[in-house]
Amino acid sequence: MRVSAVGFGCGGLMQSPSRRERMAVLGAAVDNGITHFDTARMYGLGMAEAELGAFLRTVPRDTVTVATKFGIDVGGVARRLGRFQAPARALLRRAPALRRTVKRRQAAPEAARVYDAAGAARSLDESLTALGVDYVDILFVHGPRPGDTVASGELRQFFESARRQGKIRAWGVSQDEGLEVDFAAAFAPEGVSQVRADLLSPAPRPADLAFGVLQRPCAILTAALRADAGLADRWREALQCDPLAPGLLPRLILSASAAATGCRAILYSSTDPRRVAEAAAAVSAPPEPGTLARFLALAAELRGGAAA
């Protein structure tokens, strides 16, 4: 299986206030060569899969790849609100107490999660129905943490059975925290590994896809350069351009993220079609190799200084 070098993460898709705007941002992804879409049962207060499904009906299914996840779902309050995205999100912004309640219900419970075949089968069928598709390209174990139970033996049997039935093409683990535990190893060599990683915090082991590549390093680098004029001057001299020029750092970070994280592809998310196009361009038409190499060296130096 091949996926586009940049995939679109649907975690924030429902933050766009209207379906027209959501379809526009998904369309901008495809128009700019982003043909891999990553979603999950819990995204968008439980509604992102159905929204992505509405878009998938407008494109040939075999021109895109779709990943979804099982094991984390939204609570009852959030799911009920999810049917009314725009007013619900507006209400949550105006009602801090309700927002805290929803977040608390959505937050990972203290009790260990159990990822087993029965839960995976139920979730997959729900995902296929919501997406309106016959199969997904990748089904991920969603965010297991140290202390959670991942029944890898029975899950492997389930995954293989689901693939024979044509419901999935591949499977793996998408891990957000506790990366010191390698849950993906149980599904090697077939399993797909997806991890949170960026150029300042590379994955501790080889992975196929990286998410969370932009926001954190952009905030850290921007703050460091603004706080230290000498550092900004050294970066300016090395890069032969102003590192704080509008849009430059995000472009450099996105261009460098695959190499920095050691992943074949990265995920990107936005509600702005123009930013989606810019992200695609940053990877498909990156700055010249010397600039990227110097940028990676500068970032590594800063990361090493922070570690010290």
Side-chain angles (χ1 to χ4, degrees):
M1 185 194 309
R2 296 180 65 86
V3 302
S4 53
V6 182
F8 186 86
C10 294
L13 177 64
M14 302 305 291
Q15 293 176 15
S16 290
S18 71
R19 169 161 285 189
R20 179 182 62 81
E21 291 171 293
R22 295 190 285 270
M23 295 302 106
V25 77
L26 293 171
V30 169
D31 290 344
N32 288 276
I34 299 175
T35 57
H36 179 65
F37 295 90
D38 179 271
T39 187
R41 292 296 298 143
M42 70 172 294
Y43 289 174
L45 302 178
M47 299 301 292
E49 284 183 323
E51 199 70 2
L52 176 59
F55 174 74
L56 293 176
R57 291 192 286 276
T58 70
V59 298
R61 176 66 182 89
D62 61 358
T63 63
V64 298
T65 53
V66 178
T68 194
K69 311 178 188 74
F70 76 92
I72 306 177
D73 209 342
V74 294
V77 173
R79 188 167 291 280
R80 287 192 291 274
L81 288 172
R83 298 182 180 276
F84 310 96
Q85 288 285 329
R89 291 182 183 279
L91 172 63
L92 291 174
R93 285 194 295 270
R94 293 195 300 268
L98 178 60
R99 185 169 66 248
R100 287 193 294 271
T101 298
V102 170
K103 285 186 175 181
R104 191 162 55 246
R105 297 284 179 87
Q106 280 190 279
E110 291 300 322
R113 300 188 194 110
V114 176
Y115 298 83
D116 58 15
R122 181 175 59 254
S123 184
L124 174 59
D125 286 343
E126 291 171 350
S127 291
L128 294 175
T129 299
L131 288 162
V133 297
D134 296 324
Y135 70 94
V136 293
D137 296 276
I138 310 172
L139 178 63
F140 282 117
V141 178
H142 192 183
R145 309 155 303 180
D148 290 345
T149 298
V150 178
S152 55
E154 66 179 67
L155 281 173
R156 177 180 283 278
Q157 292 180 353
F158 164 74
F159 290 146
E160 291 173 345
S161 174
R163 181 166 64 179
R164 288 194 299 270
Q165 294 170 28
K167 291 184 174 183
I168 66 174
R169 294 178 63 202
W171 61 83
V173 178
S174 179
Q175 201 169 345
D176 192 0
E177 58 181 305
L179 295 178
E180 67 275 10
V181 179
D182 184 4
F183 288 102
F187 304 106
E190 304 98 328
V192 180
S193 177
Q194 178 169 290
V195 298
R196 177 179 292 278
D198 60 55
L199 63 87
L200 299 180
S201 298
R205 67 188 69 88
D208 299 297
L209 296 104
F211 63 94
V213 300
L214 179 60
Q215 186 173 3
R216 176 181 174 274
C218 192
I220 291 173
L221 293 179
T222 299
L225 291 167
R226 286 178 175 168
D228 188 336
L231 179 67
D233 287 340
R234 285 195 289 110
W235 278 53
R236 190 176 298 109
E237 181 179 355
L239 297 173
Q240 293 298 295
C241 58
D242 182 2
L244 293 173
L248 181 61
L249 268 180
R251 182 186 178 205
L252 289 170
I253 291 168
L254 288 168
S255 298
S257 286
T261 60
C263 294
R264 295 183 178 92
I266 62 172
L267 298 183
Y268 176 80
S269 182
S270 177
T271 58
D272 185 339
R274 293 171 300 177
R275 294 195 180 278
V276 172
E278 291 167 359
V283 176
S284 64
E288 57 92 16
T291 299
L292 275 186
R294 290 191 294 272
F295 172 70
L296 284 168
L298 289 166
E301 179 184 315
L302 188 146
R303 183 177 72 240

